Amino acid sequence: MTFRVGDRVAHPMHGAGVIDQIETQKRGSEELQYYVLRLPVGDMRVLIPVDSCEAIGVRPIIASEEAEHILNAIPELEISMTQNWNRRYRENMLRIKSGDLLEVAAVVKGLMAREHERGLSTGERKMLHSAKQILISEFVMSMCGEYEEIEHRLDLAMA
């Protein structure tokens, strides 16, 4: 899929942002094109190789109706996480990398429940924060909402 400057897209590991520009960089003897994705959260910039977008899972952000549907589906999400920390971490990372927002929501819900019951390791706490940011960033862009309002709605859905 080809994107243009101004397109709003979602990166599976960084969340939603706007393509600021397309730049060419020289790598050795070849010139490669990159999308420069500006993420509103943390005012971060991510370079995405134009040729690798599909493999990475970069896609247009979801429609506001789909965002509402996902938010409304969260309370009914079934969560099951393995007890083995290593396996749970790998499974959750695969779910996040899938780019499927319901899978990301399941990771957030599962980690929030685990945090409430037992507490989280530093790695899982970082993963929870990252997964939550991925969800919120896309919901904010697709629903044209305020960050705090969307975060509040997500927290209510997760409870």
Side-chain angles (χ1 to χ4, degrees):
M1 173 167 268
T2 304
F3 299 108
R4 296 188 316 260
V5 172
D7 284 352
R8 299 179 319 160
V9 300
H11 186 290
M13 295 304 294
H14 297 290
V18 178
I19 294 179
D20 241 2
Q21 65 187 64
I22 301 169
E23 67 179 45
T24 304
Q25 292 186 2
K26 206 168 179 108
R27 297 278 190 236
S29 62
E30 62 181 327
E31 288 188 349
L32 299 173
Q33 284 198 306
Y34 293 87
Y35 293 120
V36 180
L37 181 64
R38 184 178 37 82
L39 303 171
V41 177
D43 200 30
M44 197 166 93
R45 286 172 26 121
V46 177
L47 292 180
I48 307 167
V50 170
D51 295 340
S52 303
C53 273
E54 200 168 317
I56 292 169
V58 176
R59 58 171 173 71
I61 65 167
I62 59 174
S64 61
E65 298 81 24
E66 192 174 348
E68 285 289 347
H69 172 75
I70 291 170
L71 259 176
N72 293 333
I74 289 172
E76 306 305 317
L77 275 179
E78 292 292 321
I79 52 169
S80 64
M81 292 195 172
T82 181
Q83 293 301 310
N84 179 293
W85 182 92
N86 216 6
R87 184 177 302 147
R88 184 174 61 246
Y89 189 87
R90 279 196 315 269
E91 287 172 359
N92 283 339
M93 192 55 78
L94 286 173
R95 291 173 121 177
I96 292 170
K97 285 181 179 178
S98 76
D100 180 335
L101 291 182
L102 273 174
E103 290 291 322
V104 177
V107 169
V108 171
K109 189 172 183 179
L111 289 175
M112 285 177 84
R114 187 165 186 84
E115 181 178 44
H116 183 70
E117 292 168 15
R118 300 188 179 107
L120 295 174
S121 67
T122 303
E124 284 186 313
R125 199 170 302 113
K126 281 182 178 177
M127 179 181 279
L128 171 58
H129 177 73
S130 177
K132 204 171 171 186
Q133 293 306 313
I134 289 168
L135 279 177
I136 293 170
S137 69
E138 189 153 1
F139 289 161
V140 164
M141 289 194 94
S142 68
M143 300 161 95
C144 299
E146 292 295 320
Y147 185 93
E148 290 78 17
E149 170 205 350
I150 300 294
E151 184 177 32
H152 180 70
R153 287 188 62 193
L154 182 61
D155 287 342
L156 287 176
M158 293 289 174

PDB file of all heavy atoms in Angstrom, residues 97-119:
ATOM      1  N   LYS A  97       2.253  -7.132  17.982  1.00  0.00           N
ATOM      2  CA  LYS A  97       2.819  -6.997  16.635  1.00  0.00           C
ATOM      3  C   LYS A  97       1.809  -7.303  15.538  1.00  0.00           C
ATOM      4  O   LYS A  97       1.984  -6.878  14.405  1.00  0.00           O
ATOM      5  CB  LYS A  97       4.034  -7.914  16.470  1.00  0.00           C
ATOM      6  CG  LYS A  97       5.270  -7.412  17.164  1.00  0.00           C
ATOM      7  CD  LYS A  97       6.438  -8.348  16.935  1.00  0.00           C
ATOM      8  CE  LYS A  97       7.692  -7.839  17.611  1.00  0.00           C
ATOM      9  NZ  LYS A  97       8.813  -8.762  17.442  1.00  0.00           N
ATOM     10  N   SER A  98       0.739  -8.039  15.870  1.00  0.00           N
ATOM     11  CA  SER A  98      -0.276  -8.381  14.867  1.00  0.00           C
ATOM     12  C   SER A  98      -0.962  -7.137  14.316  1.00  0.00           C
ATOM     13  O   SER A  98      -1.461  -7.142  13.200  1.00  0.00           O
ATOM     14  CB  SER A  98      -1.334  -9.322  15.467  1.00  0.00           C
ATOM     15  OG  SER A  98      -2.222  -8.589  16.313  1.00  0.00           O
ATOM     16  N   GLY A  99      -1.001  -6.071  15.110  1.00  0.00           N
ATOM     17  CA  GLY A  99      -1.664  -4.846  14.672  1.00  0.00           C
ATOM     18  C   GLY A  99      -3.167  -4.889  14.839  1.00  0.00           C
ATOM     19  O   GLY A  99      -3.862  -3.910  14.584  1.00  0.00           O
ATOM     20  N   ASP A 100      -3.709  -6.027  15.288  1.00  0.00           N
ATOM     21  CA  ASP A 100      -5.143  -6.189  15.514  1.00  0.00           C
ATOM     22  C   ASP A 100      -5.480  -5.532  16.854  1.00  0.00           C
ATOM     23  O   ASP A 100      -5.016  -5.984  17.904  1.00  0.00           O
ATOM     24  CB  ASP A 100      -5.481  -7.685  15.531  1.00  0.00           C
ATOM     25  CG  ASP A 100      -6.949  -7.968  15.768  1.00  0.00           C
ATOM     26  OD1 ASP A 100      -7.654  -7.128  16.371  1.00  0.00           O
ATOM     27  OD2 ASP A 100      -7.406  -9.056  15.361  1.00  0.00           O
ATOM     28  N   LEU A 101      -6.292  -4.476  16.825  1.00  0.00           N
ATOM     29  CA  LEU A 101      -6.555  -3.718  18.042  1.00  0.00           C
ATOM     30  C   LEU A 101      -7.297  -4.523  19.106  1.00  0.00           C
ATOM     31  O   LEU A 101      -7.120  -4.275  20.300  1.00  0.00           O
ATOM     32  CB  LEU A 101      -7.300  -2.432  17.717  1.00  0.00           C
ATOM     33  CG  LEU A 101      -6.487  -1.385  16.952  1.00  0.00           C
ATOM     34  CD1 LEU A 101      -7.298  -0.120  16.725  1.00  0.00           C
ATOM     35  CD2 LEU A 101      -5.196  -1.050  17.662  1.00  0.00           C
ATOM     36  N   LEU A 102      -8.105  -5.493  18.704  1.00  0.00           N
ATOM     37  CA  LEU A 102      -8.748  -6.346  19.705  1.00  0.00           C
ATOM     38  C   LEU A 102      -7.722  -7.223  20.414  1.00  0.00           C
ATOM     39  O   LEU A 102      -7.834  -7.479  21.614  1.00  0.00           O
ATOM     40  CB  LEU A 102      -9.839  -7.222  19.068  1.00  0.00           C
ATOM     41  CG  LEU A 102     -11.217  -6.578  18.985  1.00  0.00           C
ATOM     42  CD1 LEU A 102     -12.190  -7.452  18.207  1.00  0.00           C
ATOM     43  CD2 LEU A 102     -11.772  -6.266  20.364  1.00  0.00           C
ATOM     44  N   GLU A 103      -6.705  -7.670  19.683  1.00  0.00           N
ATOM     45  CA  GLU A 103      -5.625  -8.446  20.300  1.00  0.00           C
ATOM     46  C   GLU A 103      -4.824  -7.570  21.253  1.00  0.00           C
ATOM     47  O   GLU A 103      -4.455  -7.997  22.346  1.00  0.00           O
ATOM     48  CB  GLU A 103      -4.705  -9.049  19.233  1.00  0.00           C
ATOM     49  CG  GLU A 103      -5.343 -10.167  18.420  1.00  0.00           C
ATOM     50  CD  GLU A 103      -5.582 -11.424  19.254  1.00  0.00           C
ATOM     51  OE1 GLU A 103      -4.743 -11.763  20.113  1.00  0.00           O
ATOM     52  OE2 GLU A 103      -6.624 -12.066  19.045  1.00  0.00           O
ATOM     53  N   VAL A 104      -4.546  -6.343  20.840  1.00  0.00           N
ATOM     54  CA  VAL A 104      -3.818  -5.411  21.702  1.00  0.00           C
ATOM     55  C   VAL A 104      -4.647  -5.118  22.952  1.00  0.00           C
ATOM     56  O   VAL A 104      -4.125  -5.090  24.074  1.00  0.00           O
ATOM     57  CB  VAL A 104      -3.460  -4.102  20.951  1.00  0.00           C
ATOM     58  CG1 VAL A 104      -2.767  -3.110  21.873  1.00  0.00           C
ATOM     59  CG2 VAL A 104      -2.587  -4.396  19.738  1.00  0.00           C
ATOM     60  N   ALA A 105      -5.961  -4.942  22.769  1.00  0.00           N
ATOM     61  CA  ALA A 105      -6.855  -4.701  23.910  1.00  0.00           C
ATOM     62  C   ALA A 105      -6.852  -5.895  24.863  1.00  0.00           C
ATOM     63  O   ALA A 105      -6.885  -5.723  26.085  1.00  0.00           O
ATOM     64  CB  ALA A 105      -8.273  -4.409  23.422  1.00  0.00           C
ATOM     65  N   ALA A 106      -6.794  -7.103  24.313  1.00  0.00           N
ATOM     66  CA  ALA A 106      -6.745  -8.303  25.159  1.00  0.00           C
ATOM     67  C   ALA A 106      -5.458  -8.329  25.987  1.00  0.00           C
ATOM     68  O   ALA A 106      -5.469  -8.721  27.161  1.00  0.00           O
ATOM     69  CB  ALA A 106      -6.866  -9.562  24.307  1.00  0.00           C
ATOM     70  N   VAL A 107      -4.353  -7.893  25.385  1.00  0.00           N
ATOM     71  CA  VAL A 107      -3.082  -7.818  26.121  1.00  0.00           C
ATOM     72  C   VAL A 107      -3.221  -6.811  27.261  1.00  0.00           C
ATOM     73  O   VAL A 107      -2.858  -7.094  28.411  1.00  0.00           O
ATOM     74  CB  VAL A 107      -1.912  -7.421  25.184  1.00  0.00           C
ATOM     75  CG1 VAL A 107      -0.663  -7.082  25.986  1.00  0.00           C
ATOM     76  CG2 VAL A 107      -1.629  -8.532  24.185  1.00  0.00           C
ATOM     77  N   VAL A 108      -3.763  -5.636  26.959  1.00  0.00           N
ATOM     78  CA  VAL A 108      -3.932  -4.596  27.975  1.00  0.00           C
ATOM     79  C   VAL A 108      -4.823  -5.102  29.101  1.00  0.00           C
ATOM     80  O   VAL A 108      -4.487  -4.991  30.287  1.00  0.00           O
ATOM     81  CB  VAL A 108      -4.509  -3.292  27.371  1.00  0.00           C
ATOM     82  CG1 VAL A 108      -4.885  -2.291  28.453  1.00  0.00           C
ATOM     83  CG2 VAL A 108      -3.514  -2.671  26.400  1.00  0.00           C
ATOM     84  N   LYS A 109      -5.951  -5.701  28.741  1.00  0.00           N
ATOM     85  CA  LYS A 109      -6.894  -6.181  29.753  1.00  0.00           C
ATOM     86  C   LYS A 109      -6.261  -7.274  30.613  1.00  0.00           C
ATOM     87  O   LYS A 109      -6.398  -7.269  31.838  1.00  0.00           O
ATOM     88  CB  LYS A 109      -8.166  -6.698  29.070  1.00  0.00           C
ATOM     89  CG  LYS A 109      -9.280  -7.012  30.041  1.00  0.00           C
ATOM     90  CD  LYS A 109     -10.573  -7.319  29.330  1.00  0.00           C
ATOM     91  CE  LYS A 109     -11.688  -7.556  30.336  1.00  0.00           C
ATOM     92  NZ  LYS A 109     -12.960  -7.833  29.676  1.00  0.00           N
ATOM     93  N   GLY A 110      -5.558  -8.201  29.981  1.00  0.00           N
ATOM     94  CA  GLY A 110      -4.912  -9.274  30.720  1.00  0.00           C
ATOM     95  C   GLY A 110      -3.831  -8.764  31.659  1.00  0.00           C
ATOM     96  O   GLY A 110      -3.743  -9.188  32.818  1.00  0.00           O
ATOM     97  N   LEU A 111      -3.009  -7.839  31.171  1.00  0.00           N
ATOM     98  CA  LEU A 111      -1.939  -7.305  32.014  1.00  0.00           C
ATOM     99  C   LEU A 111      -2.494  -6.435  33.143  1.00  0.00           C
ATOM    100  O   LEU A 111      -1.969  -6.450  34.265  1.00  0.00           O
ATOM    101  CB  LEU A 111      -0.929  -6.516  31.177  1.00  0.00           C
ATOM    102  CG  LEU A 111      -0.031  -7.361  30.255  1.00  0.00           C
ATOM    103  CD1 LEU A 111       0.836  -6.471  29.381  1.00  0.00           C
ATOM    104  CD2 LEU A 111       0.824  -8.342  31.052  1.00  0.00           C
ATOM    105  N   MET A 112      -3.575  -5.700  32.875  1.00  0.00           N
ATOM    106  CA  MET A 112      -4.189  -4.902  33.938  1.00  0.00           C
ATOM    107  C   MET A 112      -4.759  -5.811  35.026  1.00  0.00           C
ATOM    108  O   MET A 112      -4.625  -5.520  36.221  1.00  0.00           O
ATOM    109  CB  MET A 112      -5.271  -3.986  33.361  1.00  0.00           C
ATOM    110  CG  MET A 112      -4.706  -2.800  32.605  1.00  0.00           C
ATOM    111  SD  MET A 112      -5.977  -1.762  31.844  1.00  0.00           S
ATOM    112  CE  MET A 112      -6.427  -0.719  33.225  1.00  0.00           C
ATOM    113  N   ALA A 113      -5.379  -6.910  34.615  1.00  0.00           N
ATOM    114  CA  ALA A 113      -5.920  -7.860  35.594  1.00  0.00           C
ATOM    115  C   ALA A 113      -4.793  -8.492  36.403  1.00  0.00           C
ATOM    116  O   ALA A 113      -4.884  -8.621  37.633  1.00  0.00           O
ATOM    117  CB  ALA A 113      -6.738  -8.939  34.879  1.00  0.00           C
ATOM    118  N   ARG A 114      -3.741  -8.863  35.720  1.00  0.00           N
ATOM    119  CA  ARG A 114      -2.593  -9.474  36.404  1.00  0.00           C
ATOM    120  C   ARG A 114      -1.945  -8.482  37.368  1.00  0.00           C
ATOM    121  O   ARG A 114      -1.552  -8.844  38.481  1.00  0.00           O
ATOM    122  CB  ARG A 114      -1.583  -9.968  35.378  1.00  0.00           C
ATOM    123  CG  ARG A 114      -0.467 -10.761  35.993  1.00  0.00           C
ATOM    124  CD  ARG A 114       0.299 -11.531  34.932  1.00  0.00           C
ATOM    125  NE  ARG A 114       1.253 -12.384  35.575  1.00  0.00           N
ATOM    126  CZ  ARG A 114       0.992 -13.600  36.063  1.00  0.00           C
ATOM    127  NH1 ARG A 114      -0.217 -14.101  35.949  1.00  0.00           N
ATOM    128  NH2 ARG A 114       1.933 -14.311  36.653  1.00  0.00           N
ATOM    129  N   GLU A 115      -1.859  -7.218  36.944  1.00  0.00           N
ATOM    130  CA  GLU A 115      -1.282  -6.183  37.801  1.00  0.00           C
ATOM    131  C   GLU A 115      -2.113  -6.029  39.080  1.00  0.00           C
ATOM    132  O   GLU A 115      -1.579  -5.895  40.177  1.00  0.00           O
ATOM    133  CB  GLU A 115      -1.207  -4.848  37.046  1.00  0.00           C
ATOM    134  CG  GLU A 115      -0.593  -3.720  37.855  1.00  0.00           C
ATOM    135  CD  GLU A 115      -0.493  -2.438  37.060  1.00  0.00           C
ATOM    136  OE1 GLU A 115      -1.459  -2.086  36.358  1.00  0.00           O
ATOM    137  OE2 GLU A 115       0.566  -1.796  37.149  1.00  0.00           O
ATOM    138  N   HIS A 116      -3.420  -6.080  38.917  1.00  0.00           N
ATOM    139  CA  HIS A 116      -4.331  -5.941  40.050  1.00  0.00           C
ATOM    140  C   HIS A 116      -4.189  -7.123  41.013  1.00  0.00           C
ATOM    141  O   HIS A 116      -4.246  -6.946  42.232  1.00  0.00           O
ATOM    142  CB  HIS A 116      -5.773  -5.814  39.542  1.00  0.00           C
ATOM    143  CG  HIS A 116      -6.773  -5.596  40.623  1.00  0.00           C
ATOM    144  ND1 HIS A 116      -6.841  -4.416  41.325  1.00  0.00           N
ATOM    145  CD2 HIS A 116      -7.717  -6.406  41.153  1.00  0.00           C
ATOM    146  CE1 HIS A 116      -7.805  -4.513  42.230  1.00  0.00           C
ATOM    147  NE2 HIS A 116      -8.357  -5.704  42.145  1.00  0.00           N
ATOM    148  N   GLU A 117      -4.008  -8.330  40.462  1.00  0.00           N
ATOM    149  CA  GLU A 117      -3.921  -9.542  41.281  1.00  0.00           C
ATOM    150  C   GLU A 117      -2.554  -9.716  41.936  1.00  0.00           C
ATOM    151  O   GLU A 117      -2.458 -10.019  43.122  1.00  0.00           O
ATOM    152  CB  GLU A 117      -4.201 -10.778  40.429  1.00  0.00           C
ATOM    153  CG  GLU A 117      -5.622 -10.888  39.938  1.00  0.00           C
ATOM    154  CD  GLU A 117      -5.770 -11.958  38.868  1.00  0.00           C
ATOM    155  OE1 GLU A 117      -4.854 -12.791  38.700  1.00  0.00           O
ATOM    156  OE2 GLU A 117      -6.812 -11.953  38.195  1.00  0.00           O
ATOM    157  N   ARG A 118      -1.490  -9.598  41.142  1.00  0.00           N
ATOM    158  CA  ARG A 118      -0.163  -9.971  41.610  1.00  0.00           C
ATOM    159  C   ARG A 118       0.905  -8.903  41.432  1.00  0.00           C
ATOM    160  O   ARG A 118       2.004  -9.057  41.928  1.00  0.00           O
ATOM    161  CB  ARG A 118       0.337 -11.189  40.833  1.00  0.00           C
ATOM    162  CG  ARG A 118      -0.509 -12.393  40.973  1.00  0.00           C
ATOM    163  CD  ARG A 118       0.208 -13.554  40.319  1.00  0.00           C
ATOM    164  NE  ARG A 118      -0.594 -14.746  40.469  1.00  0.00           N
ATOM    165  CZ  ARG A 118      -1.265 -15.313  39.504  1.00  0.00           C
ATOM    166  NH1 ARG A 118      -1.227 -14.820  38.304  1.00  0.00           N
ATOM    167  NH2 ARG A 118      -1.974 -16.393  39.729  1.00  0.00           N
ATOM    168  N   GLY A 119       0.630  -7.899  40.631  1.00  0.00           N
ATOM    169  CA  GLY A 119       1.673  -6.950  40.268  1.00  0.00           C
ATOM    170  C   GLY A 119       2.381  -7.436  39.010  1.00  0.00           C
ATOM    171  O   GLY A 119       2.246  -8.604  38.629  1.00  0.00           O
TER     172      GLY A 119
END
